[in-house]
Amino acid sequence: MLYPRCIQGVGVGETKSRGKYARERGLMTADTVRRAAALIGDGTLATRGAEFLDTGTPGLTLRVTRAAGTWYLRTRTKSVRLGSMASLTLPAAREAAARAKRDVDLGVDPRVDLDIFERSLARGATVEHATDVAFAPEVPQQSEEERRREGPWQWHDLVDLFLASKLPTLKAGYGSKYEAYLRGDEFEPLHGRDLAGLQISDLEELRDRVAESRTVSAAARVVAQGKEALSWAWRYHGTRSGLGHERYPWWDRWSIQYAHTPREHTPTVTELVRTLLVAERNLALGATDQRTEPGTLAMLWAIVLTGQRTGALGGTRRAGIIPMPGRPGWQVWTWTGQEMKGGQRAGRPHALPIPPAVLQVLAPFDTRPDSPWLFPSRVEGRHVTPVGMTQFFHRLEGRPKAGKAGSVTQRPSGNLFAANRIRVWTPHDARRSIATFLDDEELGGAGSAILAHSRGRGADEEARIEDITRRVYAKAQRLDVKAKGMEAWVAHVLAAYAQERDAMVRAGLISGSAGASLLP
């Protein structure tokens, strides 16, 4: 055996020592690689290591130490790491050496392509496929359209194309929120990265950046949606995306240690009506002259008085409002299953009796009766959305708003919740307030019906009513039950509103006429 004596530093035949590495030059074969691998960790290396120089591929060198083996290309000007012996076979190393030499001769840094080549081989790709992925012929000024059509995709291609497929399936108004968890400054390091070159470490670093700059819960959403996007590309666009060679979705290992804690805040009726009074008193909530729209204030009142989800409530159509039989002056607001829950799977239709007192409260805000929406937004032809209400609540909390070109809209009024002893609440929290009150009044069934809670599998088939516009009177909608609950809750809210308004008048916080026209 030549190598034991070589390793002891003895020059025999074509073996000679060079510094702390014993070296052998010859035509490298698979047997040479096996013998080199046997030296790793067996304790026979007396020197720093051994190097094997391949005469078949000038410059190709396999360096073996006690810990690992690594392929290199040595040229007159530099040494280039080609990859680990664990990932690259001899044919792969020769291919990598030839590609790297070409790049070096052209003055191009070969390290990025070599890194992709090694990672692809480590994941089980053939030498041919890894070569196609890592050393694809350069297409001068390939357009974004060509790259997305022909591949390989980069990270930002994945995000754009996945969202184009995903967003139309989501509930109206939710798209921007969903998209926010696939975009942002934290994604910048991945922006131009080929999907084929990604590793779990890249995804974990992204997760950690989001957790640090946003919240852990936001990072959990990024992980979930990122995995969904990668799986979509792998399953439906494997060849173009560059993920077709993956034998399994390795990104499923991308995870985060996070447990969602349900929010259980239930605002008191005093906090609800105090919010109404504060909102009516502070119509300008920024450093500009832009005032709160009547549709937004009406929506706030409707949230408090009805407890409906903001998605369906904001999209209430005037065409879906009908008189309630047997109750003069009452209306029935109706929503189709699609309006209750958007996306591919519709929800259940819903109808809600509205007492005259609610209509009287909302009347002063109805400044655009020609709109098809009961709660029109500032934008012509649009209605108030959940995002719009969330931003309105943020303004009440005094949160600054980031704008274009680094601008920031400040809130000179500060945190109006804290200033008026109101615990921060969200529109969804008002549902718990209604449910709690009606439970205390022994009207829990009415509360569940008003809030459109599921009645379980045992519910009558009539409850799955499809055409709600005229079949709203069906027994399954339990209008009389809902009406009793609405009467009790609305009376409770308006009484609390009058009491709180009077207290604020006595304290000199508002004038005696503030809000007076809103009460029946």
Side-chain angles (χ1 to χ4, degrees), residues 114-405:
L114 291 171
D115 180 55
I116 295 175
F117 185 66
E118 180 182 10
R119 294 185 186 189
S120 298
L121 291 171
R123 293 180 185 151
T126 64
V127 174
E128 292 76 12
H129 186 83
T131 300
D132 290 341
V133 171
F135 307 113
E138 295 185 6
V139 180
Q141 298 180 341
Q142 183 187 28
S143 70
E144 183 175 276
E145 180 181 355
E146 291 172 335
R147 186 180 63 251
R148 294 182 177 185
R149 183 177 62 249
E150 302 168 5
W153 287 357
Q154 298 176 354
W155 176 267
H156 65 104
D157 298 322
L158 167 69
V159 172
D160 291 345
L161 295 171
F162 172 68
L163 288 175
S165 172
K166 181 71 176 180
L167 294 184
T169 71
L170 300 178
K171 187 174 182 179
Y174 182 66
S176 59
K177 184 178 296 185
Y178 186 94
E179 184 175 1
Y181 293 104
L182 286 175
R183 300 193 190 278
D185 293 340
E186 304 90 350
F187 293 84
E188 186 61 31
L190 297 182
H191 184 78
R193 291 281 300 277
D194 287 342
L195 298 186
L198 291 180
Q199 288 188 309
I200 191 67
S201 59
D202 299 315
L203 301 181
E204 290 177 347
E205 289 171 3
L206 167 63
R207 174 200 65 194
D208 295 342
R209 286 194 298 270
V210 175
E212 182 178 355
S213 63
R214 304 190 201 180
T215 62
V216 176
S217 62
R221 290 287 300 275
V222 167
V223 169
Q225 292 179 197
K227 288 162 66 174
E228 183 183 3
L230 288 165
S231 294
W232 171 82
W234 176 64
R235 184 173 294 111
Y236 300 113
H237 306 282
T239 302
R240 289 190 296 165
S241 68
L243 299 176
H245 67 281
E246 302 292 354
R247 297 179 181 179
Y248 69 97
W250 56 265
W251 47 88
D252 280 350
R253 295 188 292 117
W254 187 21
S255 187
I256 185 171
Q257 192 170 7
Y258 169 73
H260 174 65
T261 303
R263 181 185 175 94
E264 293 297 338
H265 176 46
T266 303
T268 64
V269 69
T270 299
E271 289 174 317
L272 295 177
V273 299
R274 192 172 288 171
T275 302
L276 290 167
L277 285 160
V278 167
E280 292 163 356
R281 179 184 172 215
N282 297 271
L283 296 179
L285 294 170
T288 66
D289 294 332
Q290 192 175 68
R291 296 169 68 82
T292 303
E293 283 289 300
T296 302
L297 288 176
M299 179 77 166
L300 179 60
W301 266 102
I303 288 170
V304 172
L305 292 173
T306 71
Q308 301 306 294
R309 294 183 177 90
T310 53
L313 186 61
T316 303
R317 296 169 295 108
R318 294 183 190 271
I321 299 175
I322 56 179
M324 182 173 180
R327 289 180 179 265
W330 284 61
Q331 290 181 349
V332 179
W333 294 356
T334 68
W335 299 274
T336 65
Q338 186 68 26
E339 290 167 339
M340 288 297 292
K341 180 181 180 181
Q344 293 180 327
R345 298 181 59 185
R348 298 179 304 163
H350 185 48
L352 185 65
I354 304 298
V358 174
L359 303 179
Q360 184 175 342
V361 167
L362 297 180
F365 303 111
D366 193 9
T367 59
R368 291 162 61 184
D370 57 330
S371 171
W373 310 107
L374 189 59
F375 305 105
S377 74
R378 189 185 307 276
V379 180
E380 187 66 30
R382 303 287 297 275
H383 60 75
V384 179
T385 65
V387 173
M389 288 308 298
T390 297
Q391 293 174 345
F392 175 60
F393 272 66
H394 287 173
R395 293 196 294 271
L396 290 173
E397 291 177 50
R399 296 192 192 184
K401 180 183 178 181
K404 297 181 180 179

Side-chain angles (χ1 to χ4, degrees), residues 19 44 70 135 139 166 210 233 248 362 416 438 457 472 504:
T44 61
T70 306
F135 307 113
V139 180
K166 181 71 176 180
V210 175
Y248 69 97
L362 297 180
L416 295 174
L438 293 178
R457 293 187 178 182
V472 69
M504 294 181 76

Side-chain angles (χ1 to χ4, degrees), residues 263 265 267 303 307-310 393 425-433 451 453:
R263 181 185 175 94
H265 176 46
I303 288 170
Q308 301 306 294
R309 294 183 177 90
T310 53
F393 272 66
W425 60 281
T426 68
H428 194 81
D429 294 332
R431 295 170 61 81
R432 279 188 286 272
S433 302
L451 301 177
H453 288 163

Side-chain angles (χ1 to χ4, degrees), residues 3 26-38 52 54 60 62 71 85 88-91 94:
Y3 283 100
L27 180 62
M28 200 174 295
T29 65
D31 182 64
T32 308
V33 177
R34 282 194 294 271
R35 288 188 288 115
F52 304 83
D54 182 26
L60 178 61
L62 175 59
W71 295 99
M85 187 172 64
L88 274 64
T89 62
L90 176 58
R94 283 174 169 159

